[in-house]
Amino acid sequence: MSKRKKTKARKRAAKRPLKGLLIPAVGALLIIGAATGYYAFARQPTPAQLQAAVDNCSLEGVQRAEKRSPLSPSLFKGRAHMAYAVAMGMPEVLDQLYCYCRCKENMSHKSLLSCYTDTHAANCNICMDEAWMAAQMTVKGSCPAEIQQAIDRHFGSG
């Protein structure tokens, strides 16, 4: 066998093991992706958890700046759906938070809740991140003032 044929045969043999690994590798990636998605949805606070946590903050008597209600989460998918579900579940909290996408200055929004009364938040990572952060902190027992401090530290410039 010539040297050239031996080299080609070695190259073909070297490629074969990779072909055999392609399907299991893709399968593993799909399983990891599905598990990650399940874990993210499983960690989402339920409406009952949000309401119970909000009730612990004693927000009675606090005037809401935003009088409009958030849009229904059913209008959205994925991350936006989860964020709008948070807004629907705890509007009193989101109404007390400043939104760092600067929509108050640029769109005359009154608070983070305003972002959820239209489709703005569905296209804004800052709005969704703030709502998610507020939900996680509220369920752990934080109230709006403490949540705003954490948001300021995370999104603020100083």
Side-chain angles (χ1 to χ4, degrees):
M1 192 183 252
S2 73
K3 190 174 183 180
R4 184 178 221 175
K5 286 183 182 179
K6 285 181 184 178
T7 304
K8 283 185 180 181
R10 282 188 199 136
K11 285 182 181 178
R12 279 195 304 267
K15 289 182 183 179
R16 283 187 201 125
L18 295 178
K19 272 188 176 178
L21 293 176
L22 182 62
I23 292 174
V26 169
L29 287 174
L30 288 174
I31 291 170
I32 290 169
T36 303
Y38 174 78
Y39 182 68
F41 280 103
R43 287 186 13 195
Q44 181 181 0
T46 65
Q49 287 173 316
L50 288 175
Q51 191 57 57
V54 169
D55 289 346
N56 288 336
C57 287
S58 64
L59 297 172
E60 289 181 35
V62 175
Q63 294 292 321
R64 277 188 40 189
E66 180 56 71
K67 304 298 183 201
R68 298 173 293 170
S69 296
L71 295 179
S72 171
S74 66
L75 299 172
F76 307 95
K77 293 182 189 241
R79 192 165 178 245
H81 174 85
M82 292 191 313
Y84 277 83
V86 167
M88 185 68 79
M90 50 185 241
E92 307 88 354
V93 173
L94 268 53
D95 194 45
Q96 295 181 53
L97 303 176
Y98 174 77
C99 183
Y100 271 91
C101 78
R102 300 190 50 81
C103 56
K104 183 175 186 175
E105 293 80 4
N106 299 321
M107 299 172 67
S108 300
H109 281 184
K110 296 174 176 72
S111 66
L112 178 59
L113 180 62
S114 299
C115 302
Y116 290 90
T117 61
D118 57 30
T119 60
H120 169 77
N123 301 300
C124 180
N125 286 327
I126 294 172
C127 297
M128 289 188 280
D129 288 347
E130 284 191 34
W132 186 249
M133 185 180 220
Q136 295 300 307
M137 291 184 70
T138 300
V139 169
K140 290 179 181 173
S142 298
C143 291
E146 187 179 353
I147 296 167
Q148 184 63 63
Q149 290 173 351
I151 288 172
D152 291 345
R153 283 191 303 272
H154 186 80
F155 293 97
S157 59

